[in-house]
């Protein structure tokens, strides 16, 4: 059995707990949290004590917020644990990888970074499509759906009580790609970002309005996450938020159109997810299995989904996969 | 530059030649063939002399017929070359893998077996889907399209002058899977196999009819390839064959439906191929790059697509893939 633990118990951490329960080869040692009590039957331990438990844990699932907590805390964790995260700030991933590689090598661990579906298995399909059809046009569409990473970023803005962000594909861009005319479209031309925010209330109407303007400005100018996109920030009441924004559907597709030999081909990879954090957790847990196997094989350092042989993700033996799935 | 060669110059071999020409990091040393002259500008060498050229070739693309030539000849080739094949007799792959592993280890080579799209990147998606959503229902649909391996098998039947086989999905099965009711369907319930055959002519009408009956019987009872399927064998004239059956479109999809946490998810991987052998060759060539890199890293033995880290398929450096595609 692979002995696992979770640090961070938001949506992702709770989903990882459920996913681990369905694995034949994993047990959950405990959840590390800054909070004293959590709504779980699993052992809850103080996040501040995480290092003390390093000898009890084979793989630590890092389920902290991607916007600030993961880059701040994961490099230290990787010195003591084989870690798996879902760090999703695409523009910062190369730097993050360098930092995590140093930590993981120092600790003789594997740091499996930026798993999930995007980054994650969407990235894998971008590399696969581009390798098979070099020079192909490639486009990723997200949504319609709620983005965990971007919602997390919204919620960290000062004055935001509650917030979600929905990514929506631009229908005109999808049609252009299907016609083979989408090669030059940028991600920010293919999507818009729609935020629903419950602002904190000061009791003073003029101050409330000023706070909302500050929140809007902080969101739409946030580098990488929102600045390059058309971003709508809509303020709603807490009651409306609770009624309309509790689901977490998501999905999307990676489309690769290219030539091989003298003919044209289309590769499509699509996801329809009922609950985004559940699926992100499912991918993260599978890569946790791979991380532990790679560590057991003597590897150390940061690894991405590009470096993982697919059979390492599966609980089934390679011989069975060859017999049943090849 | 990776020095490559091709053995076998049918549809697949010709496509591999074209695909190699588009790779930035490969050169084609020559084509090995049983025929003296081929319609190519590349150096043509006798297949019987292939071993003499082992020191000139890093990767040998095995483009022989899958039905009989690959299992008969590839094990000997793997003793002398790092090979990449598209062996597609699913039921025989485990035995073939064992034989190829022994040969490749003996020769200190990599034998990359059963690449292409199915087996190949469809298999990869079956493993990925099953690893992320353990216990999921999974279904592969092929076509509508022409199957190279099955057409090859048809053409090897005694008395067949020309022949093609189209795989067609059963529309009722697709609808059942979309409704979530397809879990128990077998591959042979999801598809039918439609063969168009030009029979040799004896000049004697009664003998011709007898030959056709023998051909039909040989095809529909062929183990693995046709016996488990509803198979239609239609005899046509050579003129009709030349007019209607020169294209080689294909495609299909792998659908995985399963639970993670407490929610349901659908993963779809689809291909729309204008010309099947061109795309099969594109996959084979990408896995050739991976085979050579694995060999250079000191690995030997048989390998499947399940054992290849995705970045090894791409001509782009890993750091660039991380920066651009993760």
């Amino acid at each position: 059995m692979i002995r696992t633990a979770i640090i961070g118990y938001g949506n992702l951490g709770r989903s990882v707990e459920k996913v681990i329960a369905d694995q034949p080869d994993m047990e959950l040692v405990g959840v590390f949290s800054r909070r004293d009590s959590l709504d779980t039957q699993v052992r809850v331990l103080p996040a501040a004590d995480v290092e003390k438990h390093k000898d009890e844990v084979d793989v630590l699932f890092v389920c902290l917020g991607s916007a600030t907590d993961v880059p701040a805390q994961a490099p230290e964790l990787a010195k003591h644990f084989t870690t798996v995260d879902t760090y999703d700030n695409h523009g910062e991933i190369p730097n993050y990888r360098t930092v995590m590689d140093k930590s993981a090598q120092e600790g003789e661990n594997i740091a499996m970074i930026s798993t999930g579906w995007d980054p994650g298995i969407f990235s894998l399909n971008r590399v696969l499509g581009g390798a098979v059809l070099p020079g192909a046009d490639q486009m990723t569409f997200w949504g319609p759906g709620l983005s965990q990473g971007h919602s997390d970023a919204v919620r960290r803005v000062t004055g935001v009580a509650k917030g979600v962000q929905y990514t929506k594909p631009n229908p005109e861009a999808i049609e252009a790609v299907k016609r083979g005319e989408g090669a030059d479209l940028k991600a920010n031309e293919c999507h818009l970002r729609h935020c629903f925010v419950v602002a904190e209330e000061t009791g003073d109407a003029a101050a409330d309005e000023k706070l909302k303007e500050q929140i809007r400005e902080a969101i739409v100018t946030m580098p990488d996450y929102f600045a390059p996109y058309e971003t709508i920030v809509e303020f709603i009441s807490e009651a409306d938020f609770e009624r309309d924004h509790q689901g977490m559907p998501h999905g999307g597709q990676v489309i690769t159109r290219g030539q091989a030999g003298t003919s044209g081909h289309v590769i499509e990879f699509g996801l329809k997810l009922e609950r985004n954090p559940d699926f992100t957790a499912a991918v993260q847990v599978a890569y946790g299995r791979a991380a532990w196997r790679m560590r057991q094989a003597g590897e150390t350092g940061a690894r991405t989904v590009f470096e993982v042989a697919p059979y390492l993700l599966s609980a089934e033996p390679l011989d069975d996969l060859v017999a049943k799935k090849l």
Side-chain angles (χ1 to χ4, degrees), chain A:
Chain A
M1 296 293 274
I2 305 171
R3 301 170 304 161
T4 66
I6 295 167
I7 185 163
Y9 202 66
N11 285 321
L12 181 62
R14 287 193 290 271
S15 289
V16 168
E17 178 186 350
K18 289 183 289 182
V19 169
I20 288 171
D22 289 334
Q23 307 301 315
D25 56 348
M26 291 188 186
E27 60 184 341
L28 183 56
V29 172
V31 175
F32 294 96
S33 174
R34 280 170 292 204
R35 283 173 285 169
D36 291 335
S37 90
L38 302 175
D39 180 19
T40 176
Q41 301 304 309
V42 175
R43 184 166 64 145
V44 179
L45 297 159
D49 291 348
V50 63
E51 283 178 38
K52 295 179 188 167
H53 298 273
K54 60 189 286 183
D55 293 334
E56 301 164 43
V57 175
D58 299 324
V59 176
L60 179 64
F61 292 104
V62 178
C63 300
L64 304 163
S66 212
T68 58
D69 288 348
V70 169
Q73 299 178 39
E76 187 62 26
L77 294 170
K79 293 178 185 168
H80 307 288
F81 296 90
T82 280
T83 61
V84 188
D85 66 56
T86 61
Y87 183 62
D88 67 354
N89 189 343
H90 292 260
E92 286 298 317
I93 287 173
N95 291 335
Y96 178 69
R97 175 171 167 249
T98 302
V99 172
M100 289 297 279
D101 191 56
K102 187 163 177 292
S103 288
Q105 290 203 29
E106 183 182 323
E108 298 188 347
N109 295 309
I110 289 284
M112 188 69 67
I113 67 163
S114 301
T115 71
W117 59 276
D118 199 352
I121 60 177
F122 265 23
S123 321
L124 190 163
N125 275 277
R126 286 189 287 264
V127 164
L128 180 66
V132 170
L133 301 175
D137 296 335
Q138 200 163 58
M139 195 65 66
T140 302
F141 290 99
W142 298 275
L146 185 143
S147 163
Q148 280 183 278
H150 288 80
S151 294
D152 187 60
V154 166
R155 287 189 290 265
R156 285 175 189 275
V157 170
T158 304
V160 171
K162 297 187 174 182
V164 291
Q165 190 259 198
Y166 298 95
T167 305
K168 298 180 177 176
N170 177 343
E172 291 172 22
I174 290 182
E175 289 310 308
V177 170
K178 285 186 178 170
R179 289 194 307 269
E181 297 166 6
D184 297 328
L185 288 169
K186 307 290 181 220
N188 58 351
E189 297 170 317
C190 292
H191 302 86
L192 56 87
R193 300 199 176 280
H194 196 152
C195 306
F196 292 88
V197 174
V198 181
E200 289 172 359
E201 293 184 7
T202 62
D204 175 293
D208 282 358
E209 280 313 302
K210 191 178 170 196
L211 178 61
K212 285 180 183 175
E213 210 34 64
Q214 287 168 346
I215 290 170
R216 185 193 311 277
E217 186 66 15
I219 291 172
V220 303
T221 60
M222 196 183 295
D224 301 324
Y225 279 81
F226 293 103
Y229 292 83
E230 181 184 339
T231 301
I232 301 164
V233 180
E234 195 168 334
F235 291 96
I236 59 175
S237 70
E238 184 159 0
D240 286 357
F241 187 92
E242 295 297 338
R243 188 190 64 212
D244 297 337
H245 299 286
Q246 298 310 302
M248 286 181 260
H250 217 314
Q253 52 190 321
V254 177
I255 301 174
T256 304
R257 289 175 55 105
Q259 294 282 124
T262 53
S263 56
H265 312 281
V266 180
I267 308 174
E268 290 185 37
F269 182 79
L271 294 173
K272 290 176 191 141
L273 312 177
E274 193 183 327
R275 198 168 174 279
N276 187 2
D278 281 350
F279 189 80
T280 300
V283 178
Q284 187 180 10
V285 167
Y287 277 94
R289 177 179 293 116
W292 180 238
R293 290 174 173 178
M294 292 165 85
R295 177 64 195 83
Q296 285 193 299
E299 295 188 47
T300 65
R303 293 291 184 277
T304 66
V305 296
F306 303 151
E307 293 151 273
V308 177
Y311 82 99
L312 295 172
L313 302 170
S314 173
E316 291 186 73
L318 176 59
D319 286 353
D320 290 3
L321 296 175
V322 169
K324 293 192 287 185
K325 304 218 175 197
L326 190 60

